[in-house]
Amino acid sequence: MIEIDQLQHVYPGSRHIAPRTALHGLSLKVDEGELVILSGPNGSGKSTLFRILAGLMRPSSGTVRVGGFDLFKEPAKARALMGVVFQSPALDKHLTVLENIRLQGALYGLSGALLDSRMEEALAWSDVKTRLADKVMTLSGGLARQVELAKCLLARPRLLLLDEPTTGLDPLSRRLFLDTLARLHAERNMTVLMTSHIFSEAENAGRVAILRNGHLLAYDTPGHLRAILGSEVIVIRSAAPDALASLLEAEMGIAKLKRYGDELRIEDVAPSKSLALLERLLERHRSDIVSIAIKQPELEDVFLHVTGHHPDGNEEVAA
Amino acid sequence: MNARVAIALAWREWIRFIRQPQRVVGSIGQPLLFWLFLGSGFSPSFKPPGMGEIGYLEYFYPGALLMMLLFAGIFSCITVIEDRDQGFLQSVLAAPVARFSIVAGKVGGAALIALAQCLILLLAAPLVGLVPSAGGALLLLLGLVLASVGFTALGFGIAWGMNSTAGFHAVMMVFLMPLWMLSGALFPTQGAPQWLSFLIGVNPVSHALTLIRAPFYADVPHLLADPQYLAALGIAAVWAALCLAFSLWRVGRVEKGVKPSGI
């Protein structure tokens, strides 16, 4: 459905600012009907990639094909297949829900009975059916997001692009939105590409792509990605991580030690050994340890491993 | 270009306008107050050479209409800045829509709003003794539309690509307002210093003003036989077309990555 080939994007600099390369020859393929999450730390290039896919920007070089159409040579044909949900709201808040949706219909050339039936279909799943005559500015964040999604479904897109669509939603609204998205994806066999850095969202994805500094670092199913980290991870929080890290390395011979902020991680520990290791650590260094845990690797841990970036913003500290 | 898209976008402009009463009050009130206060205040001392017994309220009236068109255009263009990167226009740009439809929708919507406002001010025209003939009213409408399209398209082209409304205000004050001030809207060309009358002469907006002023004073056959009027019509039409082309060019330019150099 999407074929990205050797995509390179360099932002023009100015007299005082050097040009900045946001994407380094990125290639990525998304199959028909797949749900792919695009993840990466801030500045990884995912927003640049999204803006290029949505047609708001042209890359320096490389090609993108959507449904077989070249996005830059036949933009109208490619765009007709796509629905885009932007991170910042693209609704006119002075207009009612119904007016917003009708306006979107006009953009895609829908009118009359066809528009009515499509509207019914696009809104069927939503909670805004009783609020159609209300102005968008009176809706809650969660409901406004639903309108945003409904608006995109109007043209029956085969590909749905979403840019961090759950930003600013409370946990319940976020859950509802994602469940709806998963259901629509399954029912309509839509291809979905969504950027996100919330890892619980990525667990449902078919594949997860992890970007950093404009490079694709990993692109695989959540299961395979977790396997990168091997079996289990021991996470230690400490008030004096530096001292503890050198102690652990010197005294206990632990080599695979990684540090992110005040957190130390021992990755790829065999399940049979993890409990014993934890007990030994506690016996010897109890006073230096604030908390310690054994974890099954989650996508968040994979992200940390692959990008060296803690989602809370802590860079990996070189030992 | 898809006309339905342009109509839908113009309709949105209109709905937004009537749902923001402050905007209605502001954009009608300001030119109206200008006209009443400046007009009444200057009237006793206003004795332009060779213009007979014309009062300033009457002289300034077409200029007030032009000011309304200018303000309506500016108000409409301010939304472009917020809409493009953080709002409604994102989804328009991502849709399979011709770029001209976007320009036509915005400019058409602003023209619609401006004309509705002018209609209100036109109700006051008989008070200062200005009553155009039926044919004259049509020519007046033509002049209003041309000026409105010119102003809005120019503002749109400037606003597109700007990232702050404050910056747009600044540009408006030093660029769009002088176009209006130097159009003969506030004072007649006769008797002005030479450099000023030169600026007024080359300002396309002065010619648009001629199109608005003339129908109050002459009937249609006279106007259509007057080379000065026809020249003004031609210049104003070309100006509006150029402004449209300018904003179309701006919208068509997609932000593009540069070629990597020396890496």
Side-chain angles (χ1 to χ4, degrees):
Chain A
M1 190 71 213
I2 311 179
E3 290 167 66
I4 299 168
D5 192 36
Q6 288 297 318
L7 202 61
Q8 175 140 4
H9 191 87
V10 183
Y11 284 102
S14 64
R15 259 196 320 163
H16 304 290
I17 306 161
R20 191 172 61 79
T21 306
L23 295 173
H24 293 271
L26 186 91
S27 298
L28 184 80
K29 221 175 140 216
V30 178
D31 293 332
E32 177 101 47
E34 221 182 346
L35 195 161
V36 169
I37 304 266
L38 193 63
S39 188
N42 294 333
S44 61
K46 57 182 192 309
S47 294
T48 304
L49 179 58
F50 188 89
R51 286 178 66 80
I52 290 173
L53 289 177
L56 300 182
M57 259 180 5
R58 291 282 199 96
S60 301
S61 62
T63 57
V64 177
R65 298 182 79 80
V66 175
F69 298 112
D70 190 309
L71 183 60
F72 311 125
K73 293 200 179 106
E74 298 175 285
K77 281 182 182 161
R79 279 188 196 145
L81 303 175
M82 307 193 300
V84 188
V85 176
F86 292 94
Q87 190 178 345
S88 54
L91 297 169
D92 189 324
K93 60 185 181 8
H94 292 284
L95 265 51
T96 66
V97 174
L98 197 63
E99 286 164 345
N100 265 292
I101 292 182
R102 283 188 173 279
L103 196 50
Q104 181 80 0
L107 296 183
Y108 285 82
L110 302 170
S111 63
L114 179 64
L115 177 61
D116 289 340
S117 70
R118 288 287 187 89
M119 277 197 332
E120 203 163 307
E121 174 189 300
L123 286 162
W125 55 272
S126 75
D127 301 319
V128 289
K129 280 173 288 185
T130 54
R131 308 277 309 262
L132 293 182
D134 293 357
K135 282 189 205 165
V136 167
M137 64 172 111
T138 66
L139 301 183
S140 68
L143 285 182
R145 278 279 118 172
Q146 289 195 3
V147 179
E148 201 95 45
L149 185 56
K151 180 175 119 156
C152 281
L153 295 175
L154 207 57
R156 283 198 186 149
R158 282 171 55 206
L159 167 66
L160 203 56
L161 295 177
L162 305 105
D163 189 14
E164 300 189 11
T166 59
T167 304
L169 296 190
D170 62 55
L172 181 66
S173 308
R174 168 179 294 159
R175 198 69 262 153
L176 277 172
F177 184 84
L178 292 170
D179 287 350
T180 306
L181 188 65
R183 207 177 60 239
L184 290 170
H185 164 247
E187 281 172 9
R188 305 187 184 185
N189 192 34
M190 272 188 306
T191 312
V192 178
L193 179 68
M194 172 172 140
T195 67
S196 171
H197 46 223
I198 298 162
F199 296 94
S200 54
E201 295 182 351
E203 293 289 345
N204 305 323
R207 281 196 278 181
V208 178
I210 300 178
L211 251 65
R212 184 180 180 187
N213 291 342
H215 295 280
L216 185 64
L217 296 183
Y219 184 37
D220 217 327
T221 62
H224 284 151
L225 285 176
R226 278 193 296 269
I228 296 177
L229 284 194
S231 324
E232 289 181 340
V233 182
I234 294 184
V235 182
I236 308 162
R237 285 189 161 263
S238 169
D242 278 329
L244 184 62
S246 42
L247 271 179
L248 293 183
E249 275 169 21
E251 285 183 23
M252 299 179 70
I254 297 168
K256 280 193 197 170
L257 196 66
K258 292 204 165 189
R259 184 181 156 201
Y260 308 95
D262 60 353
E263 201 176 280
L264 297 173
R265 289 176 165 242
I266 308 168
E267 288 170 353
D268 199 6
V269 184
S272 55
K273 294 185 182 157
S274 55
L275 194 58
L277 181 58
L278 181 131
E279 282 176 348
R280 269 200 298 142
L281 285 165
L282 274 178
E283 262 169 38
R284 298 198 193 180
H285 304 290
R286 179 139 208 173
S287 57
D288 298 324
I289 293 174
V290 177
S291 74
I292 184 164
I294 300 175
K295 275 177 84 177
Q296 301 278 332
E298 291 172 24
L299 280 177
E300 186 171 338
D301 305 311
V302 178
F303 181 84
L304 212 57
H305 174 86
V306 171
T307 66
H309 248 275
H310 200 284
D312 300 336
N314 294 326
E315 281 272 351
E316 182 183 355
V317 181
Chain B
M1 164 197 169
N2 186 336
R4 283 198 46 234
V5 172
I7 291 169
L9 291 174
W11 167 86
R12 168 200 177 231
E13 294 292 319
W14 174 255
I15 296 289
R16 280 176 68 92
F17 173 67
I18 55 174
R19 291 214 180 131
Q20 291 169 276
Q22 315 89 317
R23 231 182 107 184
V24 182
V25 171
S27 49
I28 297 178
Q30 188 163 4
L32 198 63
L33 292 179
F34 255 73
W35 177 59
L36 280 177
F37 293 165
L38 283 183
S40 309
F42 277 130
S43 263
S45 55
F46 184 68
K47 290 186 178 55
M51 288 183 80
E53 280 301 299
I54 183 171
Y56 194 68
L57 265 177
E58 183 185 338
Y59 178 81
F60 187 37
Y61 182 79
L65 284 175
L66 192 65
M67 190 183 194
M68 237 176 206
L69 301 176
L70 174 66
F71 278 25
I74 288 170
F75 273 115
S76 294
C77 289
I78 287 175
T79 56
V80 168
I81 298 161
E82 291 154 358
D83 261 8
R84 196 173 73 102
D85 274 333
Q86 302 288 325
F88 175 77
L89 275 176
Q90 293 177 110
S91 61
V92 181
L93 286 169
V97 166
R99 295 302 179 244
F100 188 69
S101 307
I102 301 175
V103 177
K106 195 82 193 175
V107 173
L112 195 69
I113 293 166
L115 289 178
Q117 293 174 0
C118 284
L119 209 61
I120 294 171
L121 190 60
L122 277 170
L123 293 177
L127 298 180
V128 286
L130 292 174
V131 185
S133 64
L138 281 179
L139 285 183
L140 174 64
L141 184 69
L142 176 70
L144 293 173
V145 169
L146 278 179
S148 170
V149 167
F151 276 139
T152 316
L154 187 59
F156 183 94
I158 295 170
W160 193 271
M162 291 192 79
N163 47 23
S164 87
T165 47
F168 183 66
H169 272 282
V171 172
M172 176 202 106
M173 288 314 289
V174 300
F175 186 66
L176 290 179
M177 278 298 278
L179 281 181
W180 172 79
M181 278 191 264
L182 295 180
S183 68
L186 281 168
F187 49 83
T189 323
Q190 293 94 326
Q194 211 168 9
W195 61 272
L196 205 54
S197 29
F198 171 75
L199 284 181
I200 295 175
V202 295
N203 179 4
V205 178
S206 335
H207 300 282
L209 183 67
T210 305
L211 298 184
I212 296 171
R213 177 169 280 143
F216 288 114
Y217 296 99
D219 53 10
V220 180
H222 271 104
L223 285 177
L224 293 182
D226 180 358
Q228 252 183 321
Y229 178 82
L230 291 176
L233 187 62
I235 292 169
V238 168
W239 169 65
L242 284 178
C243 291
L244 273 177
F246 167 62
S247 48
L248 195 59
W249 170 72
R250 291 273 288 181
V251 176
R253 266 167 51 113
V254 181
E255 189 187 334
K256 200 173 180 313
V258 293
K259 294 284 167 222
S261 60
I263 304 167

